[in-house]
Amino acid sequence: MRVVLAEDLFLLRDGLVRMLEAFDFEIAAAVETGPELTKALAELEPDVAVVDVRLPPSHTDEGLQCALAARRARPGLPVLVLSQHVEQLYARELLADGNGGVGYLLKDRVFDAEQFIDAVRRVAAGGTAMDPQVIQQLLSRRSADQPLGKLTPREREVLELMAQGRSNAAIAGELVVTERAIAKHTSNIFGKLDLSVSDDDNRRVLAVLAYLDQGR
């Protein structure tokens, strides 16, 4: 599996390269600037891109903007954002385009190699890998007069776990309830948000995130 990695800090970039190679990923390119990332994504057509948000020369949101541009040119390009910051505007655009294969992890909340590698593989396969704090910030942007405000506290918990890419069984284990109870909560959530239910967990997550992007 070929990876394009964008990280401006040398030690972190080198560490990520070594980690990915140890798990049999091929590093197609490891770059440190926005222009280098744009060129690598266009020319190398990787299986997945792992990108920081803030890259030179602007050190603002250049990495995320490069990823969005690359997905417009190549719809469905798997992108895993690895950052210290949640850039809500562009994060919502990335997550809501409906093509799958997206993730957003916070650097200081990645606690072991297996967690990170699992996220890379999941995104590369067209799935979703979201840090709970990222989801919480996106959810908090919705006001109480929106349909999201109709959800109960438990339904919001279930929605956040769904957005991380968790299955109903995994959510049931996390919340220490039955899988049947989670199925009921899931049905209620989609009913209140006026979203059709799908058996495909990733499509459900993307549908929820697309909904959250409406009225931005």
Side-chain angles (χ1 to χ4, degrees):
M1 189 177 299
R2 301 173 69 249
V3 180
V4 163
L5 171 67
E7 167 58 56
D8 64 322
L9 298 178
F10 167 74
L11 288 178
L12 181 54
R13 184 172 67 252
D14 186 64
L16 289 170
V17 166
R18 292 173 185 270
M19 184 192 308
L20 288 163
E21 289 180 336
F23 283 87
D24 298 323
F25 289 88
E26 176 187 345
I27 306 301
V31 302
E32 60 181 306
T33 71
E36 289 175 320
L37 175 59
T38 296
K39 182 178 180 181
L41 292 177
E43 296 180 357
L44 301 177
E45 298 188 350
D47 297 305
V48 61
V50 179
V51 305
D52 192 3
V53 170
R54 300 184 177 182
L55 296 175
S58 68
H59 289 287
T60 55
D61 50 24
E62 191 149 347
L64 202 43
Q65 289 201 52
C66 290
L68 285 167
R71 279 174 68 91
R72 286 191 290 268
R74 181 186 162 193
L77 168 68
V79 173
L80 174 62
V81 177
L82 181 64
S83 180
Q84 291 178 320
H85 313 279
V86 179
E87 299 291 344
Q88 292 197 16
L89 178 62
Y90 292 111
R92 294 164 79 86
E93 184 177 347
L94 174 68
L95 296 167
D97 73 0
N99 286 314
V102 294
Y104 204 124
L105 301 181
L106 298 178
K107 290 178 180 178
D108 60 356
R109 288 172 51 80
V110 177
F111 302 119
D112 55 59
E114 286 74 16
Q115 176 192 3
F116 175 69
I117 294 300
D118 176 69
V120 176
R121 287 176 174 157
R122 193 187 314 167
V123 170
T128 307
M130 300 295 299
D131 185 281
Q133 288 192 6
V134 176
I135 293 300
Q136 183 60 50
Q137 289 196 40
L138 296 179
L139 291 176
S140 68
R141 290 290 297 274
R142 305 300 296 177
S143 61
D145 62 346
Q146 298 291 338
L148 189 66
K150 299 177 182 178
L151 301 185
T152 66
R154 175 61 88 184
E155 288 166 354
R156 288 178 65 95
E157 285 184 283
V158 172
L159 178 61
E160 291 178 27
L161 291 169
M162 284 172 56
Q164 295 172 40
R166 307 277 190 99
S167 66
N168 281 1
I171 296 172
E174 177 76 16
L175 299 181
V176 196
V177 297
T178 66
E179 191 171 346
R180 183 176 180 180
I182 296 303
K184 183 177 180 180
H185 287 311
T186 299
S187 178
N188 290 341
I189 289 167
F190 279 95
K192 290 178 180 180
L193 299 185
D194 194 28
L195 295 169
S196 59
V197 180
S198 168
D199 292 331
D200 183 327
D201 286 339
N202 293 324
R203 289 182 184 274
R204 291 192 305 163
V205 170
L206 291 170
V208 171
L209 292 172
Y211 170 80
L212 293 176
D213 192 61
Q214 292 175 10
R216 181 175 56 194

